[in-house]
Amino acid sequence: MSSSLFFAGSEGHLSREEIVKYRTVYGKEFSSLGFNVLDPTLGKDIDNISSEELNSQDLELVDKSHVVVAYLPRPSDGALAEIKRAKQNKSLIFGFTDKGNDLPSEFKPYIDRWFSEFEKLRKTLSAYINPIGEYFTSAHTNNL
């Protein structure tokens, strides 16, 4: 199964180095599960792109995604806009933090599942890529 994962985030309070570090680490994790990771930040010179253009590019990536994972150590208007767009597209939307915080209240109507432990998110995404019942749905059944 080839699925695209949009990696959203609220990062206005982080340094450029912190952003690149967390996006690289988690992006590799998502890729190792088999997702085509659509990351709006890595590989772009975001300091020289207008916020309007960057937002437009981000929403185009949301439209190409099957799953959206939002890193939410704090609320962000940009991340909320991406998540709302994903919900309109009927995408599966997960949110997570590694900071121990709760899901921001304004995100609750749009997040399908919140994770405060990355390993649990990883297991859930793994099951999405390789469903437990996949063998039973594709196995020969002798016309039964």
Side-chain angles (χ1 to χ4, degrees):
M1 176 181 211
S2 177
S3 292
S4 296
L5 181 149
F6 178 77
F7 189 19
S10 57
E11 50 203 16
H13 63 298
L14 299 173
S15 70
R16 183 76 174 140
E17 293 76 27
E18 290 172 312
I19 293 168
V20 170
K21 181 180 175 184
Y22 94 76
R23 285 192 170 275
T24 300
V25 167
Y26 290 125
K28 284 181 183 177
E29 289 284 340
F30 302 141
S31 292
S32 74
L33 293 172
F35 285 98
N36 174 29
V37 180
L38 304 178
D39 190 309
T41 304
L42 288 181
K44 291 184 182 178
D45 185 7
I46 61 171
D47 297 326
N48 292 315
I49 299 174
S50 72
S51 59
E52 294 82 19
E53 177 60 26
L54 191 59
N55 291 338
S56 174
Q57 291 177 16
D58 289 358
L59 293 177
E60 286 178 25
L61 292 177
V62 169
D63 291 342
K64 296 176 183 177
S65 301
H66 301 96
V67 176
V68 171
V69 176
Y71 176 62
L72 297 170
R74 67 171 190 84
S76 159
D77 290 341
L80 183 58
E82 293 163 355
I83 289 168
K84 284 181 176 180
R85 177 71 156 260
K87 186 54 91 175
Q88 289 174 347
N89 293 345
K90 298 184 180 2
S91 297
L92 190 56
I93 306 167
F94 298 122
F96 80 103
T97 182
D98 56 3
K99 305 294 185 193
N101 57 307
D102 291 327
L103 174 62
S105 61
E106 61 269 32
F107 287 79
K108 285 183 181 178
Y110 308 104
I111 300 286
D112 294 310
R113 179 93 193 274
W114 175 252
F115 296 90
S116 55
E117 296 176 33
F118 183 77
E119 189 55 33
K120 289 183 179 179
L121 170 61
R122 190 178 203 294
K123 286 179 183 177
T124 300
L125 289 172
S126 178
Y128 177 82
I129 284 289
N130 298 305
I132 295 168
E134 184 175 51
Y135 174 77
F136 296 105
T137 60
S138 61
H140 182 64
T141 59
N142 292 326
N143 298 323
L144 295 178

